[in-house]
Amino acid sequence: MTIKVLILILAGTIPHEIGHLPSLERLSLGINNLSGLIPSSIFNISTITLIDLHDNQLSGTLPANIGLGLPNLQFFFIGGNKLSGVLPKSISNASQLIRLELGQNLFSGFIPSELCALANLYRLALHQNNLTIDTSIPEVNFFSCLANLKDLSTLALSHNPLNAKLSVSFSNLSASLEFIYLGDCNMRGNIPNDIGNLSNLTLLDLAENKLSGPVPTSMGRLQNVQILDVHGNKLQGHIPDELCQLIHLNELSLYGNQLTGAIPACLGDLNAALRGLFLQSNLLTSTIPSTLWGLSDILHLNLSSNSLVGPLSEGFGNLKVVIDVDLSNNQLSGSIPSSIQSLQNLVNLSLASNNLEGPIPSSFGNLLSLVRLDLSQNNLSGMIPKSLEALSYLKYLNLSFNKLQGEIPTGGPFTNLSAQSFVSNRGLCGVSRFHVQPCKRKSDTSILKYVIPGILSAMLLVISIIWLVMLRRKKNVEATIETTYLPQPLYRRVSYQELLSATNGFNVSNLLGTGSFGSVYKGTFSDGVDVAIKVFNLETEGAFTSFDVECDMLSNIRHRNLIKVISCCNQNDFKALILNYMPNGNLEKWLYSQNYSLNMLQRLDIMINVASALEYLHHDYETPIVHCDLKPSNILLDDDMVAHVADFGIAKLLGGGDSMTQTMTLATIGYMAPGDVLLLVYVSTLYVMINVVVLKNLFYISYIAEYGTEGIVTRRGDVYSFGIVLMETFTRRKPTDEMFVGEMSLKQWVANSLFADAIVEVVDTNLLGTQKDPKFVSYNVCLSSIMRLGVACCVETPEERINMQEAVATLNKIKTEYVKEVW
Ligand SMILES: *[C@@H]1O[C@H](CO)[C@@H](O)[C@H](O)[C@H]1NC(C)=O
Ligand SMILES: *[C@@H]1O[C@H](CO)[C@@H](O)[C@H](O)[C@H]1NC(C)=O
Ligand SMILES: *[C@@H]1O[C@H](CO)[C@@H](O)[C@H](O)[C@H]1NC(C)=O
Ligand SMILES: *[C@@H]1O[C@H](CO)[C@@H](O)[C@H](O)[C@H]1NC(C)=O
Ligand SMILES: *[C@@H]1O[C@H](CO)[C@@H](O)[C@H](O)[C@H]1NC(C)=O
Ligand SMILES: *[C@@H]1O[C@H](CO)[C@@H](O)[C@H](O)[C@H]1NC(C)=O
Ligand SMILES: *[C@@H]1O[C@H](CO)[C@@H](O)[C@H](O)[C@H]1NC(C)=O
Ligand SMILES: *[C@@H]1O[C@H](CO)[C@@H](O)[C@H](O)[C@H]1NC(C)=O
């Protein structure tokens, strides 16, 4: 028996017999639940090139002669276990090693300088152990021999008590070095000036050490650096202007040092790449340079706990996509700029402990993503704007120690706030829960002003309800479940004439878009109600056999995440649906247009909305409705960015039964389950293009039977499309992207990245923040869960796919976890 590749998924111990496979080349047992010792026989398989045991529960030590029997070993991955003892010097006898990754174990003792003999070493990862550097003979310690590793690209030693001076001669290190992780290594001394010679360095992490002296100006020569993190040291002096030459810099973390002087104005030059700027907890003075507000793509800005002065600029509003801003604990003065309302992605804002004065702008109510808002310890005056009640995600509000007056609002997030949010504002009044004076009521004469309109609207409501009930009974339609009632225009029949005048004669300027089976126009009825009008193109043969019946049915489907069918028009050859108009357009626009962007929470919410809509269609409606054509352009967004799924039930509209095959052709390539695509081989297709796709998908031939013989469209096809849309929403890649050729598809790409634990490489970079962001891990966990769900929805065998009920539950769980983790 000649086994060359062995991949197992196991718990328990690794059988000693593995060592008896004399031709084994690759052993992959990473990410399992293996425990016990690593059988030493593994280290005697001379043919082996890869040993991957990472992320298990393995314990014990490495044998002293480990490298002597491994002449072909190139990849040795045992990170993330409980291995202890010293690193045997004989590792260096496995001379073909390219990647040696032993991080996250309990190894202790010196890092053997023999490792420097591994001439092919590309990646060395020893982080999170208990390793030190032997400084007793400075000439031959590990730092001084590093220069021999000519191919080294990654050096990861962070979180080890190295207890050494940072005496590395960087100019002697290989120009191939790209990633240096030396954070939390208990290192002393200055940052050597020749660090600027590492021309290919991409990431430098020297954080949380005891480094002193200045930030070397030579760092300005690190032309390729993207992450520069030296936080938590004792660095002194100014922030050098030279750093502004680092045009690829994505994150600059200088916080928690003793840096003085002003923030360099030229940092505004880093606009193109900079996403995180962390200068907090230093001794910085002077005003915030106005150029900083030109960092229009920055996501995280923290300047807190310095001695910054001066007013906040109206330019604040230019930080269009920023997620958190912390300017607390400075001496900023003046009023809060009203331009702040443009920061639609802002989740966390702190301006606490400054000298800000004037009112809280009522436009704060537009900051719909806000979760934390801290304005405490300033001199703010005026009322608390009632518009803050609209901030439905707000979990933390602190307005304490200001000079605010008037009534504390009680709606929205205020229902869950306590007196701690309003401490020491002498002018505030409101309900007793807030430990403030009750408010004085207006005089009684004004009561009528409230009561009469109240009675009127109550009467109106009763009449509407009776009318609605009668309408429904007349149509003999069973009650539909309405999760949330939104005010919507009521059902009515409209004539072609009415539509003509509502759309200026179907004027091109009213055209919202054209789809596979018609055009959509924006219209405004004479009573001012805006609608979208979907006009069908009648060339779709055999369609519309029962348009009126199906249309009535559609107009009775109500769910807060489905586009409401207000009405239908069926006159002679003209057939149209009248739909609720969605002012914010579709998800496609929000994902791919330059001027729009969605943050993580918005995307999560949108996908929860979409999943809820499909769940309703699949499970809660009396006869399940299959959508058949879910894609981002069918997901529309209302004023509050709540998603509404459009074009559901078109399948039924076009006539059930026989013409179901035609419906299939309407579905959009890329979002269809593989079986759906194949079915098209057997029907006369509307699109030439489909044939091309079919050829690419012959791989899935075994699924013809499933759809072909039964001749029905199943809900599982929608689940597949949902999975694709979910992955697309968070990767910002269309399934039809040109990178997906051959066997590589969006699904495969995402699945591979999950397997390699490299989800950051596929997700939309706008979502990520930066790797050193404290929230990065939570983002990563959340995104991985989302992608796993996407993959689960796209399992090739329909029977193994999850259903929409499970998808909704999973997404809600992911959101809860995320919100809990991140805030
Ligand atoms: C490896 O093989 C050699 C010779 O075949 C043998 O002497 C040695 O004991 C083996 N080592 C281990 C750890 O099995
Ligand atoms: C193991 O490597 C060391 C140098 O790292 C060398 O001195 C020694 O001779 C090698 N041993 C064998 C058996 O190859
Ligand atoms: C770390 O290593 C030192 C010796 O280098 C030892 O004294 C200490 O106990 C080790 N700590 C842990 C947690 O293993
Ligand atoms: C380091 O860079 C400086 C300035 O570019 C250069 O003068 C010096 O020769 C470099 N040192 C090495 C060892 O390459
Ligand atoms: C760096 O390399 C140069 C030339 O190869 C050598 O003279 C010098 O001693 C090296 N410096 C260190 C600290 O290893
Ligand atoms: C800003 O930095 C301070 C100090 O490191 C930290 O406590 C605070 O949470 C940071 N603010 C944000 C918004 O992350
Ligand atoms: C208030 O808190 C409760 C329990 O934590 C939660 O269920 C409810 O949704 C919150 N209400 C608002 C308006 O945030
Ligand atoms: C708001 O800040 C003040 C001090 O600045 C503190 O006493 C109070 O507890 C904070 N409120 C909340 C809700 O954390």
Side-chain angles (χ1 to χ4, degrees), residues 171-172 194 196-197 221:
S171 56
N172 279 11
D194 62 357
N197 287 45
R221 288 191 287 125

Side-chain angles (χ1 to χ4, degrees), residues 12-16 18-19 27 29 34-44 51-54 56-63 66 76-79 81-84 102 105 107:
T13 57
I14 303 177
H16 188 266
I18 282 185
L27 176 66
L29 297 168
L34 296 167
S35 52
L37 307 179
I38 303 177
S40 57
S41 59
I42 286 179
F43 304 123
N44 229 356
I51 297 176
D52 178 3
L53 304 174
H54 81 279
N56 280 292
Q57 310 283 335
L58 298 166
S59 53
T61 60
L62 297 179
I66 182 169
F76 189 35
F77 306 142
I78 53 170
N81 281 293
K82 295 171 177 164
L83 298 165
S84 55
L102 318 180
N105 277 297
F107 291 119

